[in-house]
Amino acid sequence: MSVNLENTGSIKGELHTDSKKNEKPERPCLQVDEQGGSDFFKDLILASQTVLETVQQKGRSKCPKCQSSRMFYCYSCFLLVDGVNSDKIPQVKLPLKIDIIKHPNETDGKSTAVHAKLLAQDDVNIYTYPCMPEYKDISNEVAVVFPGPKSIALDDLPKYLSTIAGKKPQPTKSSKNALSHENITCEGPEIKRAKYDHKHQQSLDEENPVKEQNVGEMETHPTPLKRVIFIDSTWNQTNKIITDERLQELLHVELRSQKTHFWRKQKGKPDTYLATIEAIYYFLADYHRLFLKENYNGEYDNLLFFYSFMHKLINKAKDAAGKLN
């Protein structure tokens, strides 16, 4: 579920991953060439990656905050490194808010979660487990994207929400302060201190108020989710997070048909287990179709801006080494 950026300057270091368009609007899908090359992402509508090519040729630079040497961005501070023009990095506006719960043992440099934060700064927050917001008061507006026996398919989500809404009306009171700093809890066995992003948290209430609806409206027009949770961890470490009672009480949704395009196979795991940034992208593309009732025309493709570039670099390295399948 991650990408290591430490050696992209020379492409000699091995990079790791945890891991459309109008022709097939019903099911956005990355196209894969038969040779397994860099055409995985050929149908995406991406901003120019010239800025990344230039930085990659120059090598690593310092993070403006912690002064660590990084390539493209600092995965600890969630900032672009010195010399990267922020105007050249796309920003994606998302239809809902995203919380990423990161395992404390997940290596920062291998995490694809930072891609989401950098490319959708206003709509993404990252927390390190066991710290996470308290979702109890807004549980009907939140879903966890994770495969499991209690998860429903994303395609079934509109029908599920409609059924729930018909049985029990959504509360009309404001969810103001529902996710304030005071409601971020760290109840769990982990000792390592969590870090999370404060900046966006201060404006959650103004940006994302609960919309009042009457019961008749909710029976035919299920209220879209307001917030979606993704887990950032190796698959072998996810159990500690997903079994947390704070998440167990929430609706779980599964992406069942999309396949990962990561370049290092995870032993014993199905190819439907996605990298964090892949899961976010696929969820949003289908959410666009299911809830906004519009054909998907690449609105969230730039979430894969960094990921697709890393894929290209890795395949170049593999090709040069004669290891490209």
Side-chain angles (χ1 to χ4, degrees):
M1 301 175 71
S2 51
V3 177
N4 188 335
L5 300 177
E6 285 300 291
N7 299 306
T8 55
S10 63
I11 322 182
K12 292 180 180 179
E14 193 167 14
L15 300 156
H16 306 288
T17 181
D18 64 351
S19 67
K20 125 177 157 199
K21 185 90 166 50
N22 300 330
E23 297 176 358
K24 295 183 179 181
E26 310 316 336
R27 173 64 62 180
C29 181
L30 302 180
Q31 301 300 313
V32 183
D33 63 354
E34 293 181 357
Q35 288 74 34
S38 61
D39 285 345
F40 279 177
F41 306 94
K42 65 182 179 181
D43 292 328
L44 296 178
I45 303 175
L46 296 171
S48 172
Q49 295 176 323
T50 301
V51 60
L52 300 183
E53 295 169 355
T54 300
V55 171
Q56 190 269 328
Q57 291 171 2
K58 291 181 178 179
R60 296 189 290 178
S61 298
K62 289 185 177 181
C63 168
K65 184 177 181 179
C66 70
Q67 298 298 303
S68 297
S69 178
R70 300 284 188 253
M71 177 65 74
F72 305 131
Y73 54 78
C74 179
Y75 42 72
S76 300
C77 302
F78 310 142
L79 295 172
L80 298 172
V81 297
D82 292 336
V84 177
N85 186 348
S86 60
D87 292 337
K88 301 295 183 180
I89 305 299
Q91 281 297 304
V92 184
K93 180 60 181 174
L94 306 185
L96 38 66
K97 304 303 179 185
I98 288 177
D99 289 345
I100 299 173
I101 311 300
K102 180 178 173 293
H103 194 284
N105 294 334
E106 178 73 359
T107 303
D108 287 344
K110 294 183 178 182
S111 174
T112 62
V114 63
H115 297 182
K117 181 59 184 173
L118 289 169
L119 297 168
Q121 296 178 4
D122 293 337
D123 297 315
V124 176
N125 280 300
I126 298 177
Y127 305 88
T128 299
Y129 187 81
C131 287
M132 69 176 76
E134 183 60 66
Y135 300 105
K136 181 171 55 178
D137 294 335
I138 55 169
S139 59
N140 58 336
E141 301 172 1
V142 184
V144 181
V145 177
F146 193 84
K150 65 178 290 184
S151 300
I152 66 171
L154 180 55
D155 282 342
D156 295 332
L157 187 57
K159 181 179 179 181
Y160 175 87
L161 292 180
S162 180
T163 301
I164 296 300
K167 292 180 178 179
K168 183 178 181 180
Q170 301 279 354
T172 57
K173 67 178 181 178
S174 171
S175 60
K176 187 175 181 180
N177 296 325
L179 291 182
S180 66
H181 292 310
E182 290 74 14
N183 292 97
I184 296 175
T185 62
C186 299
E187 300 173 357
E190 301 293 344
I191 298 176
K192 188 174 180 179
R193 185 176 180 180
K195 58 185 177 183
Y196 54 86
D197 177 26
H198 294 273
K199 182 179 178 182
H200 172 63
Q201 204 67 32
Q202 297 173 346
S203 59
L204 285 175
D205 303 329
E206 290 77 13
E207 291 178 347
N208 196 30
V210 175
K211 296 181 179 179
E212 297 185 3
Q213 294 186 9
N214 61 45
V215 179
E217 290 176 329
M218 289 187 290
E219 288 178 345
T220 55
H221 303 286
T223 305
L225 298 172
K226 301 295 193 299
R227 189 170 299 274
V228 181
I229 301 169
F230 293 85
I231 294 176
D232 186 55
S233 170
T234 61
W235 285 102
N236 291 330
Q237 294 177 329
T238 56
N239 188 63
K240 180 178 291 293
I241 300 178
I242 197 61
T243 56
D244 189 296
E245 63 180 9
R246 291 169 292 178
L247 299 183
Q248 282 295 304
E249 297 174 353
L250 302 174
L251 170 66
H252 287 212
V253 179
E254 182 175 1
L255 302 173
R256 294 177 178 173
S257 59
Q258 305 294 2
K259 296 182 179 181
T260 186
H261 297 275
F262 79 126
W263 45 93
R264 171 170 286 188
K265 297 294 184 181
Q266 297 185 83
K267 187 176 181 180
K269 303 299 180 184
D271 57 8
T272 53
Y273 278 25
L274 307 172
T276 302
I277 194 63
E278 287 180 316
I280 293 172
Y281 166 75
Y282 279 132
F283 178 91
L284 290 172
D286 275 351
Y287 178 92
H288 189 93
R289 172 178 60 87
L290 293 169
F291 286 97
L292 303 185
K293 302 298 183 181
E294 298 176 2
N295 287 343
Y296 180 70
N297 293 312
E299 286 81 356
Y300 316 117
D301 284 8
N302 273 320
L303 289 174
L304 298 176
F305 180 75
F306 290 112
Y307 191 68
S308 61
F309 187 77
M310 298 311 305
H311 185 278
K312 180 171 63 176
L313 287 184
I314 290 164
N315 276 333
K316 269 189 177 181
K318 284 189 172 183
D319 190 30
K323 296 180 179 181
L324 188 63
N325 293 326

